[in-house]
Amino acid sequence: MRTKNELYQEALRTVAARRQMARARAQDARTEAEAAIPALRHAEEEVRVRGIRCAMAGAAGKDRTAAAAALKEAKQQLTTLLAASGRPADALEPKFRCKLCQDTGSVEGRTCQCVRRVMQKLRREEIEALSSLSISSFDTMELRYYPNRMDEKLGEPVRSYMGTLLEDLKDYAQEFDHSSESLMLLGNAGLGKTHAALAIAGMVLEKGYDVIYVSSPDFFGRLEALHFGTDPADEEETLLQTAAGADLLILDDLGTEFNSSFFISTLYSLLNNRIGAKLPTIVTTNITDGALLEKLYTEKISSRLSSFVPCLFAGEDIRAQKAAE
């Protein structure tokens, strides 16, 4: 898990590499063109010299009409030379990926959107590497896997209930901001909780927010190993701060981790910090019994989780259904 600043620095390096590559390719194109067009260097020099003369005339407050006409003529001669060899007018110019910042990463002193898009891509790749599912969309969650039979507890067929729930979660992702509520996706294994959480993550990332996804057993296991082992780089604190400060934290598979006093205190601190900062969190868990939740995680943690909006997933194990197909 990288911090937001680490993502930013890596994105800047990526954009800088794009610029360097574009310039290198332009130089290769120039070398090839000069070999094929003997008069090319002279034509480019004429454009350069006449451009300087035009600029100097303007700076001196003189009439630029003649100088501008000469510059236009020189550019036209260069274009004609390139066209005669089958090359476009911009054949010698670098082809930057971003037209706004020309792959510098900055526009008028502000970070360009292309850098933010790279950050989103890097975070997306990180989440996909950490999860068992790739980030997809709600469109890939097929309702046919949810039984179309009446459920007395739900008061309606499971399929229609899940259809409404998934639409509500999709709306949540579309409307996400820092004032969004925290969610608890709960239900038996294999009903699509993680899939839905990752679908939300994909949409929230596209909106420009930073999303951190962690598997509860992996994340807290890593923290505990660092806490009671060697941690010269202070990685434990960095991981905690990154999770605590994310625009959206997805804590997957709560209830499958090794329960210890360290885990309880760390989970409480993480939830408390995020609630205090009014930052949304999504928890997925197979635990549907509130009494069991309190027994496992203490009353203090249970009370924090009780403030999350419960989203009950119903149906039958989808993974088993797919395996049987």
Side-chain angles (χ1 to χ4, degrees):
M1 180 202 308
R2 288 163 291 190
T3 65
K4 199 169 184 178
N5 184 58
E6 287 171 338
L7 281 185
Y8 176 69
Q9 295 301 326
E10 188 170 346
L12 286 181
R13 289 192 292 271
T14 299
V15 172
R18 289 176 180 175
R19 181 174 174 83
Q20 185 177 5
M21 180 61 70
R23 292 172 68 89
R25 286 174 177 168
Q27 184 56 50
D28 290 344
R30 180 180 298 278
T31 300
E32 182 183 336
E34 287 177 347
I37 311 171
L40 182 62
R41 285 191 177 182
H42 175 72
E44 283 196 293
E45 181 64 14
E46 282 295 297
V47 171
R48 188 185 72 81
V49 170
R50 295 186 185 190
I52 292 174
R53 289 175 180 172
C54 187
M56 289 178 66
K62 297 180 180 180
D63 186 358
R64 298 173 62 249
T65 304
L71 175 59
K72 182 178 180 181
E73 181 184 355
K75 288 181 176 180
Q76 183 58 53
Q77 289 176 354
L78 176 60
T79 298
T80 301
L81 274 177
L82 291 170
S85 69
R87 293 174 171 82
D90 64 348
L92 307 181
E93 300 299 322
K95 305 300 186 296
F96 298 117
R97 183 87 64 91
C98 180
K99 305 302 181 184
L100 282 177
C101 73
Q102 295 190 326
D103 294 344
T104 63
S106 178
V107 179
E108 298 179 351
R110 296 184 178 182
T111 300
C112 184
Q113 285 300 315
C114 70
V115 176
R116 302 189 188 283
R117 286 194 294 271
V118 174
M119 290 176 67
Q120 292 166 14
K121 179 176 180 291
L122 292 171
R123 185 66 86 192
R124 192 182 191 99
E125 292 172 349
E126 179 180 273
I127 292 173
E128 291 184 344
L130 290 171
S131 63
S132 58
L133 294 170
S134 62
I135 292 181
S136 53
S137 71
F138 285 100
D139 295 336
T140 60
M141 299 189 72
E142 300 179 66
L143 287 176
R144 66 187 179 91
Y145 288 110
Y146 297 101
N148 195 25
R149 65 165 184 269
M150 189 68 181
D151 186 290
E152 293 183 1
K153 291 182 179 179
L154 299 175
E156 63 178 300
V158 174
R159 185 173 299 173
S160 64
Y161 165 81
M162 287 303 301
T164 300
L165 176 60
L166 295 179
E167 281 298 320
D168 288 344
L169 293 177
K170 184 176 180 180
D171 290 343
Y172 172 90
Q174 291 173 334
E175 299 168 7
F176 180 88
D177 59 26
H178 287 132
S179 65
S180 295
E181 296 179 286
S182 292
L183 307 179
M184 178 178 287
L185 312 188
L186 65 160
N188 295 330
L191 298 181
K193 299 185 299 297
T194 297
H195 195 145
L198 290 171
I200 292 173
M203 295 178 69
V204 173
L205 280 171
E206 289 297 323
K207 287 171 65 70
Y209 293 99
D210 190 36
V211 180
I212 295 293
Y213 165 92
V214 294
S215 164
S216 181
D218 294 342
F219 179 65
F220 290 106
R222 175 63 178 159
L223 290 176
E224 190 159 7
L226 289 168
H227 186 79
F228 293 106
T230 56
D231 186 14
D234 204 18
E235 185 181 353
E236 178 190 356
E237 184 63 24
T238 299
L239 288 173
L240 274 172
Q241 288 183 358
T242 301
D247 295 324
L248 173 63
L249 173 65
I250 296 176
L251 185 56
D252 195 26
D253 274 339
L254 187 69
T256 59
E257 65 288 313
F258 175 72
N259 202 332
S260 66
S261 57
F262 172 84
F263 163 72
I264 293 297
S265 62
T266 305
L267 174 60
Y268 174 77
S269 176
L270 178 60
L271 293 176
N272 211 41
N273 286 340
R274 290 190 60 79
I275 291 172
K278 297 182 180 179
L279 290 172
T281 302
I282 294 177
V283 169
T284 76
T285 181
N286 296 342
I287 302 173
T288 59
D289 185 336
L292 177 57
L293 192 70
E294 182 174 328
K295 182 178 179 181
L296 285 172
Y297 298 128
T298 73
E299 182 181 354
K300 290 199 300 183
I301 291 178
S302 179
S303 68
R304 298 298 186 276
L305 292 174
S306 67
S307 67
F308 289 27
V309 177
C311 303
L312 177 65
F313 280 61
E316 299 172 358
D317 193 330
I318 295 173
R319 289 191 290 262
Q321 294 180 62
K322 289 184 176 180
E325 289 180 344

